[in-house]
Amino acid sequence: MSHHPDSDEAGAQTPNLDFEGTTPYDDYVQADVLTHLQHPLSDDPGEMVFLVTTQVMELWFTVIVHEWQTAAEALRQDDLPTALAALRRSTYELESLNASWKPLAHLTPVQFNSYRSALGEGSGFQSAMYRRLEFLLGEKSSSMLVPHRGASRAHAELEKALQEPSLYDEVLGFLSRRGHPVPAAALDRDVAQRYEADPAVERVWQRIYAGPQDSPEARLGEALTEVAELVWRWRNDHLVATRRAMGAKPGTGGSAGVAWLEKRARKNVFPELWTARSHV
């Protein structure tokens, strides 16, 4: 029997390839499940791209929601380092989420129309995980639970998220406990309602930003601003991709399409963090 000179070295470097049943990798990552979740409804090859990209977006929503919940809980415990670490991680994840538009950003109307009918009444506005993401930003709306009435788990999770303080609510509580004059109206508000900007909260951020640049509150403000900017970029990228693919036609699922997205893109997340800068 011949002996290859590299066989001993190769044997030492080759990973274990023989497993009973599934591999430990698949057991952990569930790759077999993930790669068999795609069921295109048209013959257009572009639909697979649309489907996988949308599924990837859902996974990024899931991890970003996890990060913001971690940050909110940490702020509730006055644990700023844990909150800042989670917010920082979420900025990298938001950058990856935003990059997910790339495969869809250059669809022509004809290309999108070739499988648009397969979506039927489907629309991204029906994403329960994206709605949880928006709720964490303070964009609360009980009407957004309506599309999920038929899915008990998603509906229950959204109802719980609606009634819980948003990430920004926890930020304001943290600032108040640090001695900042956050108004009672902001601290005691009905957290199931959409957050509305408050001039007194703006003045709190104005004082923070005019003070020491390395204060814990200033670092928190900058971490939140980074998140807000990336969410704004997400909304704008969504708007531009939709414009290219379908112009001003009504959106899928009866949504208002571009008109709705334009309205969303004009709104600032954590508004007082932006307006306070005009007064520093």
Side-chain angles (χ1 to χ4, degrees), residues 54 58 119-128 148 238 251-257:
T54 306
E58 284 290 331
L119 299 174
E121 290 294 303
S123 165
F125 295 116
Q126 296 159 13
S127 165
H148 306 283
H238 189 180
T252 53
S255 62

Side-chain angles (χ1 to χ4, degrees), residues 16 23 45 56 106 120 149 159 165 186 208 228:
N16 183 14
T23 66
V56 166
H106 300 94
R149 283 178 302 192
E159 200 159 37
I208 287 169

Side-chain angles (χ1 to χ4, degrees), residues 48-280:
M48 187 67 165
V49 181
F50 183 87
L51 195 48
V52 171
T53 301
T54 306
Q55 289 175 339
V56 166
M57 287 177 175
E58 284 290 331
L59 291 173
W60 282 127
F61 297 158
T62 303
V63 75
I64 292 165
V65 163
H66 173 74
E67 300 288 23
W68 292 351
Q69 286 175 329
T70 299
E73 176 61 32
L75 287 168
R76 200 174 304 134
Q77 306 297 328
D78 295 321
D79 179 0
L80 186 61
T82 297
L84 287 175
L87 291 171
R88 193 171 299 114
R89 286 193 303 270
S90 81
T91 62
Y92 307 142
E93 293 145 10
L94 280 161
E95 286 171 350
S96 297
L97 168 66
N98 292 357
S100 303
W101 283 117
K102 283 288 185 189
L104 305 180
H106 300 94
L107 284 173
T108 66
V110 167
Q111 288 168 335
F112 186 46
N113 287 344
S114 61
Y115 57 81
R116 187 187 182 196
S117 61
L119 299 174
E121 290 294 303
S123 165
F125 295 116
Q126 296 159 13
S127 165
M129 195 57 74
Y130 182 71
R131 192 55 48 202
R132 285 175 65 184
L133 184 150
E134 288 276 14
F135 281 5
L136 274 164
L137 293 173
E139 282 291 326
K140 300 288 187 76
S141 172
S142 58
S143 65
M144 286 304 192
L145 270 64
V146 173
H148 306 283
R149 283 178 302 192
S152 57
R153 184 173 73 177
H155 191 272
E157 288 174 350
L158 272 176
E159 200 159 37
K160 182 170 180 283
L162 182 72
Q163 301 298 334
E164 288 176 341
S166 70
L167 170 61
Y168 199 55
D169 287 321
E170 298 295 0
V171 167
L172 297 181
F174 172 80
L175 293 178
S176 177
R177 291 189 299 277
R178 297 273 300 188
H180 295 277
V182 178
L187 294 172
D188 303 330
R189 74 183 197 89
D190 179 358
V191 296
Q193 300 298 316
R194 177 181 284 107
Y195 180 81
E196 300 294 345
D198 187 317
V201 172
E202 179 189 280
R203 288 192 291 274
V204 168
W205 284 117
Q206 180 185 338
R207 278 192 287 271
I208 287 169
Y209 270 98
Q213 298 300 287
D214 60 347
S215 72
E217 293 90 339
R219 285 188 287 124
L220 175 59
E222 283 302 274
L224 292 167
T225 302
E226 191 74 13
V227 165
E229 180 179 328
L230 288 164
V231 171
W232 178 79
R233 290 183 187 281
W234 155 266
R235 290 173 177 172
N236 273 276
D237 287 352
H238 189 180
L239 169 62
V240 172
T242 304
R243 267 190 182 143
R244 286 190 72 143
M246 50 181 274
K249 287 184 289 195
T252 53
S255 62
V258 163
W260 169 264
L261 295 174
E262 283 175 337
K263 183 181 170 186
R264 301 293 300 131
R266 285 195 296 268
K267 291 198 73 169
N268 280 327
V269 177
F270 314 142
E272 299 97 342
L273 271 166
W274 298 94
T275 56
R277 293 164 193 271
S278 303
H279 308 291
V280 176

